[in-house]
């Protein structure tokens, strides 16, 4: 690399609690995708929760220490990339609303450099490797999570990447934009309603002809996978980062290792 060559983008990965504790393969797949796209990736070791569970439960004051700590850890990054629409939405939209004064400006600066994974790959890195249809992959349907779709406008980006990088044909389910029933703490507070919403989503996935459900929010996928196993439905669930990375060796979500 000469002095006139552009410097590779430097990305800080916000892992998210669910990936860290329940599905580390999502984080590792994200790192590999970003590195293959030409990024230098850093994973701040002191990162914790973004504060979303407390915030969604109405405990705004309780989440402020987590919010400020996240800002301190990530505010010097060129880009912050998150394999979760809900966590990215929390940072981009709710952090500035929670804070005032200097902290609000710091939150706005961080929000301007924070991206959900598929939107970053599609819109910033402009990945577009055309791949022929891969007949070996199962029929796939995509679930649009509420936060990613409504707060960040994530809809076409993951579908474009799945077609171009994986060569898959996506079987769209009816009402793909309807909530799956996870909703963060909603599924714990309203379990009967949450289960009915999950059953509706699972029925729509099966009706699409797909055998694998993917999406950009691990909470939704864990919720649906757990309900599918309880109901004996023969569906697989994988985060979109795992599919884009080509990681099909890791057991699907909810399957034994």
């Amino acid at each position: 690399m000469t002095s006139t060559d552009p410097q590779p983008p430097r990305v800080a990965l916000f892992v998210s609690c669910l990936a860290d504790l329940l599905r580390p393969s999502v984080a590792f797949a994200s790192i590999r995708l970003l590195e293959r796209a030409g990024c230098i990736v850093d994973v701040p070791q002191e990162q914790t929760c973004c504060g979303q569970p407390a915030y969604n439960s109405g405990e705004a004051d309780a989440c402020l220490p987590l919010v400020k700590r996240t800002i301190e850890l990530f505010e010097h990054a060129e880009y912050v990339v998150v394999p979760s629409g809900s966590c990215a939405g929390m940072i981009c939209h709710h952090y500035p609303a929670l804070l005032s004064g200097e902290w609000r400006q710091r939150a706005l600066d961080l929000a301007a450099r924070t991206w959900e994974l598929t939107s970053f790959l599609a819109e910033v890195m402009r990945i577009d490797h055309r791949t022929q249809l891969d007949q070996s992959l199962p029929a796939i349907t995509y679930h649009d999570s509420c936060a990613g779709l409504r707060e960040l406008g994530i809809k076409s980006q993951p579908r474009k990447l799945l077609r171009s990088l994986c060569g898959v044909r996506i079987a769209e389910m009816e009402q793909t934009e309807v909530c799956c029933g996870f909703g963060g703490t909603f599924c714990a507070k309203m379990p009967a309603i949450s289960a009915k919403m999950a059953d509706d989503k699972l029925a729509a996935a099966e009706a699409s002809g797909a055998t694998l459900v993917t999406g950009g929010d691990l909470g939704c996928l864990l919720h649906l996978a757990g309900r599918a196993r309880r109901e004996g439905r023969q569906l697989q669930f994988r985060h979109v980062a795992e599919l884009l990375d080509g990681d099909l060796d890791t057991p699907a979500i909810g399957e034994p290792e």
Side-chain angles (χ1 to χ4, degrees), residues 129-208:
H129 301 156
R130 294 295 174 185
T131 303
Q132 290 185 344
L133 187 66
D134 189 341
Q135 302 290 350
S136 66
L137 286 171
I140 292 172
T141 193
Y142 192 92
H143 165 62
D144 295 295
S145 66
C146 294
L149 177 69
R150 293 169 177 83
E151 293 182 345
L152 302 174
I154 299 166
K155 175 76 175 180
S156 62
Q157 302 94 323
R159 290 167 169 83
K160 175 184 176 182
L161 292 171
L162 285 166
R163 287 192 295 267
S164 62
L165 298 187
C166 303
V168 299
R169 182 181 292 114
I170 298 169
E172 296 289 357
M173 68 178 107
E174 290 189 9
Q175 298 186 323
T176 183
E177 298 181 358
V178 173
C179 180
C180 68
F182 174 59
T185 55
F186 168 81
C187 63
K189 294 178 179 178
M190 302 285 185
I193 299 174
S194 175
K196 178 60 169 65
M197 295 172 75
D199 288 344
D200 290 345
K201 180 66 65 172
L202 294 171
E206 289 178 330
S208 74

Side-chain angles (χ1 to χ4, degrees), residues 14-248:
F14 185 88
V15 173
S16 86
C17 297
L18 293 180
D20 181 34
L21 298 173
L22 299 175
R23 191 74 174 174
S25 56
V26 172
F28 289 118
S30 300
I31 292 170
R32 290 190 292 267
L33 284 166
L34 291 166
E35 289 180 339
R36 285 204 296 270
C39 301
I40 297 174
V41 183
D42 175 46
V43 184
Q45 295 298 297
E46 296 179 23
Q47 64 179 287
T48 57
C49 177
C50 67
Q52 185 182 174
Y55 179 72
N56 287 347
S57 299
E59 298 291 340
D61 290 342
C63 77
L64 285 178
L66 294 170
V67 168
K68 291 180 177 180
R69 184 56 175 155
T70 300
I71 293 172
E72 289 173 336
L73 285 172
F74 285 90
E75 65 183 337
H76 300 298
E78 183 179 358
Y79 295 101
V80 178
V81 174
V82 192
S84 164
S86 61
C87 294
M90 178 71 183
I91 294 171
C92 291
H93 291 280
H94 301 294
Y95 275 21
L98 277 166
L99 300 166
S100 60
E102 177 190 349
W103 275 107
R104 183 173 188 273
Q105 187 56 54
R106 291 168 73 176
L108 287 169
D109 292 342
L110 178 63
R113 290 176 281 109
T114 298
W115 294 78
E116 182 271 343
L117 175 67
T118 63
S119 60
F120 181 78
L121 293 173
E123 297 176 28
V124 178
M125 301 310 297
R126 299 182 182 276
I127 291 179
D128 190 18
H129 301 156
R130 294 295 174 185
T131 303
Q132 290 185 344
L133 187 66
D134 189 341
Q135 302 290 350
S136 66
L137 286 171
I140 292 172
T141 193
Y142 192 92
H143 165 62
D144 295 295
S145 66
C146 294
L149 177 69
R150 293 169 177 83
E151 293 182 345
L152 302 174
I154 299 166
K155 175 76 175 180
S156 62
Q157 302 94 323
R159 290 167 169 83
K160 175 184 176 182
L161 292 171
L162 285 166
R163 287 192 295 267
S164 62
L165 298 187
C166 303
V168 299
R169 182 181 292 114
I170 298 169
E172 296 289 357
M173 68 178 107
E174 290 189 9
Q175 298 186 323
T176 183
E177 298 181 358
V178 173
C179 180
C180 68
F182 174 59
T185 55
F186 168 81
C187 63
K189 294 178 179 178
M190 302 285 185
I193 299 174
S194 175
K196 178 60 169 65
M197 295 172 75
D199 288 344
D200 290 345
K201 180 66 65 172
L202 294 171
E206 289 178 330
S208 74
T211 57
L212 191 153
V213 179
T214 190
D217 264 286
L218 193 51
C220 299
L221 297 172
L222 287 163
H223 172 64
L224 290 172
R227 186 64 181 170
R229 286 195 68 187
R230 180 180 292 271
E231 295 296 300
R233 296 180 184 266
Q234 300 303 307
L235 288 168
Q236 281 194 351
F237 299 84
R238 293 184 184 275
H239 191 280
V240 67
E242 297 171 313
L243 292 181
L244 295 174
D245 179 49
D247 177 14
L248 297 178

